[in-house]
Amino acid sequence: MKGFVVGVMLTVAVIAGGLYAYMASGRAPVATSEPPLPMEEFLAKTALHARLDRDAHVQPELKPTSAVLVAGAHVYRQDCAACHGLPGQPIPTIAKGMFPKPPQLFSADEMVTDDAPGVTFWKAKNGIRLSGMPGFHASLSDEQLWQVTLLLAHADKLPPEVHQVLGGAAPPAGQDTSK
């Protein structure tokens, strides 16, 4: 039995040493233009989803009134649009150089309208490690975070006054705003 334990410990030490040697060699892909490390995406998504399942069950403190959505549009334009884009606009320059690519939250296929509001609120408040998504807990109030959350939850059906704040008229029904 003692030999088995020593063998397991030796195997773990060799694997850990090999991983360290690989990372320290300068060959590991760390540039945003390089492909992810093996299992990087799986590990990051698994950890994030487990945390969201545990902590993102809060409900909005506000109702999605026109005034709340307009306020959310102002906050979004100031603090989110540089990475996540605006309706009908090209992908921002900053977003093109990020890894992973930030979702373009007004693009029909990347909207978060089906996410639970608590999930979007948690991501905006706390950020997501290793993704470029900062946490805004120290710079935005919970009320501002809820305003942005509700804006994104209703991104597919915003009133014209919200589209004006975001930089344009409301797109025709069914038009993809990601281009």
Side-chain angles (χ1 to χ4, degrees), residues 57-82:
H57 298 286
V58 293
Q59 293 299 313
E61 298 174 354
L62 305 170
K63 300 288 182 213
T65 63
S66 182
V68 166
L69 297 176
V70 165
H74 284 289
V75 174
Y76 180 90
R77 216 178 145 79
Q78 174 70 34
D79 296 302
C80 311

Side-chain angles (χ1 to χ4, degrees), residues 10 68 78 85 123 157:
L10 185 59
V68 166
Q78 174 70 34
K123 289 177 181 179
K157 51 185 177 290

